[in-house]
Amino acid sequence: MVAWLYLLCAISLEVAGTISLKFSNGFRDWHFTTLSLVLYGISFWALAITLRTMPVSTAYAIWSGLGTAAIAIIGMMFFKEPVTVIKGVFLLMIIGGVAGLNMVGKH
């Protein structure tokens, strides 16, 4: 259970780091650049803690998949990125793949 909390923290920090990267303006704003690097670093630390008890294939798939899906949704909601049916289908595929890997990993 603790591993899942660390994994959720790692995902949240990675998403926050990516948003900070967006605001860094191509590393021109040092405040957001620094924030992004710190958030990514803490995210990797939390992921490393997760890997003590969770298989790397499951943890990394969930970390990268949910992080990717979250950023795509945030991009559409807050950064006015185009919303299309095909994007929605692929996002559902990512989330379904993560759920499937989680179910298979328990057997």
Side-chain angles (χ1 to χ4, degrees), residues 40-105:
Y40 279 134
I42 299 169
S43 174
F44 278 114
W45 172 81
L47 182 61
I49 299 299
T50 301
L51 295 177
R52 288 180 181 170
T53 57
M54 187 180 287
V56 68
S57 59
T58 302
Y60 188 76
I62 293 170
W63 180 76
S64 62
L66 291 184
T68 299
I71 285 298
I73 292 167
I74 289 168
M76 289 184 275
M77 290 177 62
F78 298 105
F79 297 115
K80 308 293 188 258
E81 294 177 4
V83 179
T84 64
V85 172
I86 197 72
K87 269 190 181 180
V89 168
F90 286 125
L91 281 172
L92 289 174
M93 288 173 68
I94 290 170
I95 294 167
V98 167
L101 280 170
N102 187 33
M103 287 186 284
V104 169

Side-chain angles (χ1 to χ4, degrees), residues 30-49:
W30 71 269
H31 294 97
F32 282 109
T33 297
T34 303
L35 181 61
S36 179
L37 294 172
V38 168
L39 290 169
Y40 279 134
I42 299 169
S43 174
F44 278 114
W45 172 81
L47 182 61
I49 299 299

